[in-house]
Amino acid sequence: MNMNAEDRLTKRRIARYALPDASALARNKVNWPVRAQDCALVIHDMQNFWLGFYEDCSILLANVARLRALCKQYGMPVVYTQAEKPKALAERALGLEMWGPGMAAGHLSDDDRAICSALAPAEDDYVVRKPRYSGFFKTDLDDILQRTNRKHILLTGVFGHHGVLLTAADAYMRNIKVSLVVDAVADYSLRDHEITLDYVAEVCGALTTTALAEQELIASEQDERRA
């Protein structure tokens, strides 16, 4: 085991930084409005252990919760990804060398691995347990989106330049539109956060904000009712 990798995972503390705002949307190459009839909300790895790295994640939590409440109100699918505990350390493969035991670390409890109580999944929500960064890798996320007739995801969660970014890229390669919510995602630092936004906007998706996504969802629902 790479002990230095284990230390990086267990000792990291993330200082508070201002989340990006609507000015980040100038990076967009595409305009993909968020419609309640087309979208699913994906909440990526909002587990107690990861959130415990942050000195303060209250704004992140509030923005994700705000979107979740509206999506639930409109009957949209809400899908959580959750980094799983492997049955054996060997399943970690290269991840063992890169990060150490991860969710299999002996000091972690089931509560550490659980999704935070502020965003606890409801009975009709979906939870996909994933072994790697991407929410699509060896999970049924793609199947869920197909069954619910969704070709667009509203993507939130942590960490931006890890699983969030690779989930966005993976979605693009499956012809699934991605709207990354710039102020409902968090990262190790503002620099890492900006790297994520640059990559997604340039290569595989669109950027939005909590407020804009909310406006577009409400407008699309109103249009649907008038139709």
Side-chain angles (χ1 to χ4, degrees), residues 7 16 23 25 32 66 104 107-108 111 135 144-145 153 156 158 169 173 175 188 193 204 215 220 225:
D7 288 346
R16 182 175 182 177
S23 63
L25 276 55
W32 291 337
R66 179 174 158 188
H107 66 282
L108 296 187
D111 185 63
I144 291 168
L145 297 176
I153 61 173
T156 66
V158 295
M173 290 184 283
N175 286 322
Y188 288 179
H193 201 132
C204 61
Q215 292 169 14
S220 70
R225 290 176 181 175

Side-chain angles (χ1 to χ4, degrees), residues 140-152:
D140 58 353
L141 176 54
D142 201 353
D143 291 338
I144 291 168
L145 297 176
Q146 289 186 39
R147 292 199 308 270
T148 55
N149 197 29
R150 306 288 156 154
K151 295 295 289 183
H152 192 167

Side-chain angles (χ1 to χ4, degrees), residues 41-43 60-80 115-127 154 156 181 184 210 214 217:
L41 175 65
V42 175
I43 300 175
L60 169 69
L61 285 171
N63 287 344
V64 177
R66 179 174 158 188
L67 288 172
R68 180 184 182 275
L70 188 62
C71 291
K72 296 291 291 182
Q73 178 183 337
Y74 291 162
M76 296 167 55
V78 176
V79 187
Y80 294 80
I115 295 164
C116 67
S117 59
L119 297 170
E123 288 186 4
D124 59 344
D125 292 334
Y126 301 91
V127 179
L154 195 57
T156 66
V181 189
T210 300
E214 187 176 59
L217 287 170

Side-chain angles (χ1 to χ4, degrees), residues 28-116:
N28 279 335
K29 294 167 63 175
V30 294
N31 177 29
W32 291 337
V34 177
R35 292 172 43 84
Q37 301 80 18
D38 302 329
C39 271
L41 175 65
V42 175
I43 300 175
H44 184 278
D45 288 9
M46 293 289 278
Q47 294 162 262
N48 290 318
F49 178 62
W50 307 127
L51 296 179
F53 290 7
Y54 289 93
E55 291 179 357
D56 182 357
C57 60
S58 57
I59 296 175
L60 169 69
L61 285 171
N63 287 344
V64 177
R66 179 174 158 188
L67 288 172
R68 180 184 182 275
L70 188 62
C71 291
K72 296 291 291 182
Q73 178 183 337
Y74 291 162
M76 296 167 55
V78 176
V79 187
Y80 294 80
T81 73
Q82 185 175 10
E84 66 176 356
K85 176 184 178 181
K87 295 181 177 64
L89 274 181
E91 295 178 20
R92 291 279 292 159
L94 295 181
L96 190 60
E97 296 185 43
M98 185 71 71
W99 295 107
M103 286 295 173
H107 66 282
L108 296 187
S109 66
D110 288 342
D111 185 63
D112 290 320
R113 289 181 282 265
I115 295 164
C116 67

